[in-house]
């Protein structure tokens, strides 16, 4: 993984149009690769989540789908989200009961999230579980970790700037 990809994209200024289109391209390529179907509704949900580096709840997504003419049945949104989460295109933020597009699609990784409690911006970074204290404790206890949820809550650079001004 390059240093560029390892950073918390959500909080930095970047070429966001390129960021959205390259993420969609990556998702298309991976689905083609793995024989998965990125149906129009799945693609649309991913697109909504890529629009802003912010977590969206299932109901917000459902509203957006409705506006986009995809019907208004909650299972449509839930099934699309399940697919996207299962295949790693989207992560669920437990703290917010909401979803964000993965910042490192296609790479196996242990995501860690920084969540702004003022604006709900979410930045994804890597958790350093492999060398961390939790990993050491788990090993000592003979416990095999399969999944961890790392969600840090705080104030993003933008909101901090506003608060300091
Ligand atoms: Zn972006
Ligand atoms: Zn990710
Ligand atoms: Zn913020």
């Amino acid at each position: 993984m390059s240093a560029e990809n390892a950073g918390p994209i959500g909080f930095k200024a970047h070429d966001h149009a390129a960021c959205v289109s390259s993420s969609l391209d990556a998702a298309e390529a991976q689905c083609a690769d793995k024989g998965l179907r990125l149906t129009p509704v799945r693609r649309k949900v991913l697109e909504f989540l890529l629009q802003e580096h912010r977590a969206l709840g299932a109901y917000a997504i459902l509203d957006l789908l409705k506006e986009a003419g995809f019907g208004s049945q909650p299972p449509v949104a839930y099934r699309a989200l399940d697919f996207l989460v299962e295949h790693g295109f989207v992560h669920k933020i437990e703290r917010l009961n909401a979803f964000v597009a993965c910042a490192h699609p296609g790479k196996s990784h242990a995501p860690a999230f920084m969540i702004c409690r003022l604006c709900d911006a979410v930045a994804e970074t890597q958790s350093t579980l492999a060398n961390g204290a939790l990993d050491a404790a788990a090993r000592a206890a003979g416990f095999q970790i399969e999944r961890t949820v790392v969600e840090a809550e705080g104030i993003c650079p933008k909101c901090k700037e506003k608060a300091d001004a």
Side-chain angles (χ1 to χ4, degrees), residues 20-37:
V20 170
S21 66
S22 71
S23 298
L24 281 173
D25 288 350
E28 301 257 12
Q30 265 181 74
C31 284
D33 229 41
K34 296 180 188 162
L36 303 169
R37 259 166 31 88

Side-chain angles (χ1 to χ4, degrees), residues 1 30 34 87-88 91 102 104-111 124-127:
M1 166 164 317
Q30 265 181 74
K34 296 180 188 162
H87 297 289
H91 299 298
C102 178
H104 317 101
K107 303 183 177 92
S108 103
H109 58 287
E124 177 180 344
T125 185
Q126 306 282 307
S127 84

Side-chain angles (χ1 to χ4, degrees), residues 73-96:
Q73 294 307 306
V76 173
Y78 286 119
R79 277 199 299 262
L81 284 167
D82 281 349
F83 170 87
L84 293 168
V85 170
E86 188 188 335
H87 297 289
F89 300 118
V90 164
H91 299 298
K92 184 167 186 202
I93 305 288
E94 309 284 348
R95 172 76 185 77
L96 301 172

